[in-house]
Amino acid sequence: MKVLWTPQARRDRADIWTYLSAQDLLAAARMDQRFSDVAAVLADFPLSGREGSVIGTRELIPHASYRLVYEIIGDTAWVLALAHTSREWPPASD
């Protein structure tokens, strides 16, 4: 199975990198590696995450502070978002 990141998920990841690296570059690198490692698991075990809060999605927790939201479409696991666990998910729509 392929694992692809949506533009939103890539932005989420970049925002997390920016925030963490301003405080501790090594911590930011370790967290980013966790995101990569967890996403890579989806290639072999796409159903490893629990059912998500949004119908049709699944969620993995790569760290107690973050949730990785994804959906499976055909032979691809699409990473949709990386969300801090303290934030409302899914985000409220305006």
Side-chain angles (χ1 to χ4, degrees), residues 9 14 18-19 24 27 33 39-42 49 55 58-60 65-66 68 70 73 80 84 86-87 90-91:
T18 299
Y19 175 77
D24 184 338
Q33 186 61 52
V41 167
L42 297 176
I55 294 173
R58 302 188 74 77
E59 299 177 4
L60 287 169
S65 295
Y66 295 99
L68 184 145
Y70 68 99
I73 300 175
L80 304 174
H84 197 279
S86 68
R87 293 191 175 172

Side-chain angles (χ1 to χ4, degrees), residues 20-84:
L20 292 177
S21 66
Q23 300 170 43
D24 184 338
L25 189 56
L26 185 56
R30 283 193 307 259
M31 186 63 69
D32 196 64
Q33 186 61 52
R34 275 189 190 209
F35 296 152
S36 292
D37 293 346
V38 166
V41 167
L42 297 176
D44 293 322
F45 304 102
L47 298 178
S48 59
R50 66 180 185 219
E51 288 188 30
S53 301
V54 175
I55 294 173
T57 66
R58 302 188 74 77
E59 299 177 4
L60 287 169
I61 307 296
H63 181 273
S65 295
Y66 295 99
R67 108 184 53 224
L68 184 145
V69 181
Y70 68 99
E71 68 180 338
I72 299 166
I73 300 175
D75 68 344
T76 305
W78 286 94
V79 179
L80 304 174
L82 280 171
H84 197 279

